[in-house]
């Protein structure tokens, strides 16, 4: 079973829309009384995805308007220039977990595939990458991941779990090794199988038409072919029909599963109970590890959940110190998957830590989702790896008000392997420049929608290359409405030259690594498919005790 069609091909049944990112992160170091140099705070990170399930996914903006999240913002420090490392799940999460651009770990698109497509593929976060969980685990933290992973499962056999969270520094995992796709919801239009299923369906129809024509011709005596041939062709049509039908059902069975540690515990998962199971798991992890130190990463499948979860966590941890970080991908402006425009990558970020961080403070410095890695490592008393490039910078000095400026002078915005844009925060003038080299072509009618269907492309006919590049002054034009021209902006040439130079220096730090999203690694392989019961009829459901809980 192969990967799906190129992104811009219109899928017959449904939009090929992949999950965009809507992230909500929450950092809750607790136990003020223990504060001291060796103090290891408990840390809770919550991330939520905009599921992007066609037009039904209008969760994003509702989440932001909840009183809980608003209160976090009021009581915490708010980042206004917080930027995701990539516009889609797999690379963005890889960058988040490692503090490095996804390209450095091979977790970004080099062959057109921008996210992992199957639990049964062989791509995933490489073994030699170090997550913040692994560093904190070595610092004595109990580390847990609850929710979505989407960083691969196996390399060579169904149970090697080489990319599994438990082999990436997490002591405990409960959740989806993959991500929610529309197939997980029985009755919703399929998503992963759209292109494949679409092709099978088209072939079925064409062949059926052919067979009927030949049969009619033969009946009328217009053509002479043996009936054997007609029946043979008809059986082939049936076979194709069968595969098309199976391709729909099996996507759910193969991709929509829940695991507890190394065991598949629900296959396919029953979506209606998942949110409750996840929040129950999160609470129980916190209760088990309350004395600390613990690091819990709650990576939600569903944007409704954070409200509930947040409320519950707040109730449980009233007596401690908190640092909350809420980040959200702004999916409202522009199409999904845009690598460069602000609408595709800018995310609100809130850190709450009463008693340590000032309430209601707003930081307008450029920061990145990759900064969570060194921040968490520093809070946990660890050290970031010295043998590789780390792109993130600790937010601690900025949050505590010790530093006035973010450690990022330049930030680079990728779409797959293509550098679409770069920003320069010129500390001397305080101005924030943004240079676009490549932008996706937008549909003239659809507000902010890209050409074709689904994700905005990173390269090919769906993008425009700008030479000279587009230049914006984000300090005065945050919505990137007025490109600057050499005539009107005296610094035009100087800014472009400075950013060019930074891009060249940045490029020198990139070295080729094995691509994890290559067609060979993306492709579904039966022998890698996580399965409970007998393959291919993998099936199990959550133990009843948990369901009632
Ligand atoms: C919320 O987001 C959806 C798209 O996801 C959009 O259709 C809707 O207009 C938004 N609502 C508001 C009030 O902005
Ligand atoms: C991990 O291994 C690959 C080769 O398999 C290598 O290219 C890459 O640089 C290594 N990454 C790190 C962080 O050591």
């Amino acid at each position: 079973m192969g990967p799906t069609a190129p992104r811009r091909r219109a899928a017959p049944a449904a939009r090929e829309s992949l999950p965009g990112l809507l992230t909500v992160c929450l950092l809750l170091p607790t136990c003020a009384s223990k504060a001291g140099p060796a103090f290891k705070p408990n840390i809770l990170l919550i991330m939520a995805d905009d599921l992007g399930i066609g037009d039904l996914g209008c969760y994003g903006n509702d989440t932001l308007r909840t009183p809980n999240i608003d209160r976090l913002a009021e009581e915490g420090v708010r980042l206004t220039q917080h930027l995701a490392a990539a516009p889609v799940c797999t690379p963005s999460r890889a960058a988040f977990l490692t503090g490095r651009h996804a390209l450095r770990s091979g977790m970004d698109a080099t062959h057109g595939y921008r996210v992992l497509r199957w639990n049964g593929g062989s791509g995933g976060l490489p073994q030699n990458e170090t997550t913040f969980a692994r560093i904190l685990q070595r610092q004595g933290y109990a580390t847990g991941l609850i929710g979505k992973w989407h960083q691969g499962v196996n390399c060579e056999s169904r149970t090697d779990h080489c990319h599994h969270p438990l082999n990436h520094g997490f002591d405990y995992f409960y959740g989806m090794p993959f991500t929610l796709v529309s197939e997980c919801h029985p009755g919703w239009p399929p998503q992963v199988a759209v292109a494949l299923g679409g092709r099978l369906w088209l072939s079925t129809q064409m062949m059926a038409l052919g067979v009927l024509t030949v049969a009619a011709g033969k009946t009328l005596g217009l053509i002479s072919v043996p009936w054997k041939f007609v029946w043979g062709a008809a059986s082939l049509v049936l076979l194709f029909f069968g595969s098309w039908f199976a391709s729909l059902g099996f996507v759910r069975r193969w991709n929509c599963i829940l695991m507890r540690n190394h065991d598949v515990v629900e296959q396919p998962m029953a979506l209606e109970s998942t949110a409750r199971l996840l929040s129950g798991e999160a609470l129980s992890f916190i209760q088990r590890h309350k004395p600390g130190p613990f690091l819990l990463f709650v990576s939600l499948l569903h944007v409704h959940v954070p409200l509930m979860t947040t409320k519950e966590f707040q109730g449980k941890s009233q007596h401690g110190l908190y640092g909350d970080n809420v980040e959200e991908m702004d999916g409202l402006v522009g199409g999904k998957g845009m690598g460069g425009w602000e609408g595709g990558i800018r995310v609100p970020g809130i850190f709450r830590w009463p008693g340590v961080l000032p309430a209601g403070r707003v930081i307008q410095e450029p920061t990145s989702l990759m900064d969570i890695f060194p921040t968490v490592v520093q809070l946990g008393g660890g050290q970031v790896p010295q043998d590789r490039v780390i792109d993130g910078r600790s937010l601690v000095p900025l949050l505590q008000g010790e530093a006035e400026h973010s450690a990022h002078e330049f930030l680079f915005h990728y779409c797959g392997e293509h550098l679409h844009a770069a920003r320069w925060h010129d500390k001397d003038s305080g101005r924030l420049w943004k240079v676009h080299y490549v932008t996706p072509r937008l549909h003239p009618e659809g507000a902010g929608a890209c050409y074709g269907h689904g994700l905005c492309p990173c390269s090919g006919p769906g993008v425009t290359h700008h030479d000279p590049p587009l230049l914006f002054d984000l300090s005065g034009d945050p919505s990137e409405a007025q490109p600057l021209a050499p005539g009107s902006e005296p610094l035009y040439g100087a800014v472009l030259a400075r950013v060019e130079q930074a891009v060249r220096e940045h490029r020198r730090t990139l070295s080729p690594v094995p691509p994890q999203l290559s067609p060979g690694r993306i492709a579904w392989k039966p022998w890698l498919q996580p399965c409970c019961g007998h393959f291919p009829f993998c099936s199990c459901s959550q133990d009843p005790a948990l369901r009632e809980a």
Side-chain angles (χ1 to χ4, degrees):
M1 202 174 278
T4 59
R7 200 132 288 108
R8 293 189 64 252
R9 181 177 302 168
R15 285 186 19 200
E16 189 196 358
S17 68
L18 285 160
L21 252 193
L22 170 91
T23 58
V24 178
C25 294
L26 186 76
L27 209 96
L28 299 190
T30 58
C31 309
S33 55
K34 284 197 226 148
F39 166 60
K40 287 188 161 65
N42 290 338
I43 299 172
L44 171 62
L45 299 158
I46 298 184
M47 179 182 272
D49 276 2
D50 170 5
L51 303 176
I53 309 175
D55 293 332
L56 297 162
C58 49
Y59 306 101
N61 54 10
D62 295 334
T63 308
L64 262 188
R65 256 178 251 118
T66 63
N68 289 315
I69 306 249
D70 291 349
R71 199 164 73 234
L72 294 181
E74 275 163 31
E75 296 172 1
V77 177
R78 191 157 58 90
L79 305 178
T80 62
Q81 296 286 330
H82 204 45
L83 299 146
V88 289
C89 306
T90 299
S92 180
R93 278 161 185 266
F96 173 77
L97 287 160
T98 62
R100 291 147 57 75
H101 280 293
L103 268 186
R104 300 195 194 277
S105 53
M107 290 292 276
D108 213 337
T110 47
H111 294 77
Y113 301 102
R114 291 167 68 184
V115 294
L116 297 170
R117 295 294 179 94
W118 306 97
N119 276 323
S122 54
L125 192 64
Q127 280 284 284
N128 62 357
E129 288 295 329
T130 305
T131 65
F132 54 73
R134 188 183 299 291
I135 297 176
L136 263 62
Q137 191 179 45
R138 289 186 186 138
Q139 292 295 314
Y141 271 76
T143 54
L145 168 63
I146 287 163
K148 158 181 167 175
W149 175 241
H150 210 186
Q151 298 291 304
V153 185
N154 294 317
C155 293
E156 281 164 10
S157 80
R158 188 164 293 156
T159 52
D160 69 38
H161 290 184
C162 64
H163 304 302
H164 189 278
L166 263 54
N167 283 317
H168 272 298
F170 291 98
D171 301 325
Y172 185 73
F173 170 55
Y174 181 85
M176 277 187 96
F178 191 59
T179 182
L180 273 189
V181 285
S182 359
E183 277 87 353
C184 300
H185 216 293
W188 286 20
Q191 180 180 310
V192 170
V194 159
L196 175 77
R199 265 178 272 160
L200 282 171
W201 181 229
L202 196 68
S203 317
T204 308
Q205 288 173 311
M206 302 296 278
M207 281 163 40
L209 198 66
V211 169
L212 285 176
T213 311
V214 171
K218 167 119 180 123
T219 311
L220 298 175
L222 300 176
I223 33 178
S224 60
V225 286
W227 277 109
K228 223 168 40 182
F229 169 82
V230 179
W231 287 120
S235 328
L236 206 63
V237 173
L238 264 181
L239 189 74
F240 264 72
F241 179 80
S243 322
W244 166 75
F245 193 73
S247 79
L248 304 184
F250 279 105
V251 171
R252 172 161 180 249
R253 194 163 292 273
W254 289 333
N255 276 345
C256 308
I257 66 175
L258 284 179
M259 291 179 94
R260 173 179 283 111
N261 294 328
H262 288 299
D263 301 319
V264 179
V265 292
E266 212 178 287
Q267 186 167 20
M269 61 199 257
L271 209 51
E272 62 287 351
S273 59
T274 308
R276 184 167 46 78
L277 290 174
L278 293 181
S279 59
E281 285 284 336
L283 281 176
S284 119
F285 182 93
I286 290 175
Q287 264 147 19
R288 284 200 304 279
H289 298 285
K290 216 169 190 171
F294 73 75
L295 165 77
L296 178 59
F297 175 23
V298 181
S299 167
L300 294 160
L301 307 169
H302 202 280
V303 183
H304 280 146
V305 184
L307 324 180
M308 197 169 81
T309 316
T310 304
K311 214 186 292 170
E312 285 168 11
F313 286 152
Q314 285 175 348
K316 298 291 170 202
S317 45
Q318 284 165 354
H319 304 294
L321 274 173
Y322 306 84
D324 298 352
N325 174 356
V326 177
E327 303 182 337
E328 173 169 332
M329 176 63 109
D330 177 359
L332 305 182
V333 193
K336 282 191 172 124
M338 292 179 156
W341 291 113
E342 296 290 282
I345 52 174
R346 191 162 148 200
V347 297
I350 299 165
F351 286 75
R352 177 166 166 270
W353 191 345
V356 175
L357 303 182
R361 187 154 157 246
V362 177
I363 293 176
Q364 313 221 352
E365 290 287 304
T367 52
S368 159
L369 198 55
M370 295 184 287
D371 295 342
I372 303 298
F373 176 92
T375 305
V376 166
V377 167
Q378 185 180 346
L379 291 174
Q383 231 205 352
V384 300
Q386 304 294 307
D387 62 345
R388 63 197 69 183
V389 180
I390 302 289
D391 298 292
R393 298 284 176 267
S394 174
L395 295 171
V396 173
L398 194 62
L399 293 174
Q400 293 189 328
E402 286 163 13
E404 194 187 331
H405 291 299
S406 128
H408 295 287
E409 189 176 5
F410 296 94
L411 280 172
F412 305 98
H413 305 301
Y414 280 92
C415 186
E417 61 180 331
H418 305 275
L419 183 73
H420 273 200
R423 86 179 55 215
W424 176 29
H425 188 215
D426 181 4
K427 284 170 188 147
D428 298 332
S429 68
R431 287 172 86 176
L432 188 57
W433 305 98
K434 174 98 171 278
V435 178
H436 288 266
Y437 301 101
V438 183
T439 54
R441 283 171 61 211
L442 299 182
H443 211 281
E445 286 136 46
C450 285
Y451 263 93
H453 288 247
L455 282 183
C456 295
C458 295
S459 60
V463 302
T464 308
H465 290 262
H466 300 280
D467 190 14
L470 296 177
L471 175 65
F472 295 93
D473 177 0
L474 292 187
S475 12
D477 176 22
S479 57
E480 299 169 296
Q482 288 141 11
L484 301 172
S488 61
E489 176 52 62
L491 293 173
Y492 183 90
V495 170
L496 284 189
R498 182 68 191 90
V499 175
E500 274 309 333
Q501 185 198 337
V503 168
R504 273 197 306 275
E505 284 164 15
H506 163 73
R507 285 225 158 98
R508 277 201 287 273
T509 71
L510 293 169
S511 41
V513 292
Q516 298 297 325
L517 305 182
S518 64
R521 288 189 201 236
I522 286 277
W524 180 80
K525 302 166 187 76
W527 61 92
L528 296 187
Q529 175 60 49
C531 182
C532 57
H534 297 288
F535 185 81
F537 304 100
C538 319
S539 174
C540 54
S541 55
Q542 191 75 34
D543 53 307
L546 253 175
R547 273 199 185 290
E548 284 154 20

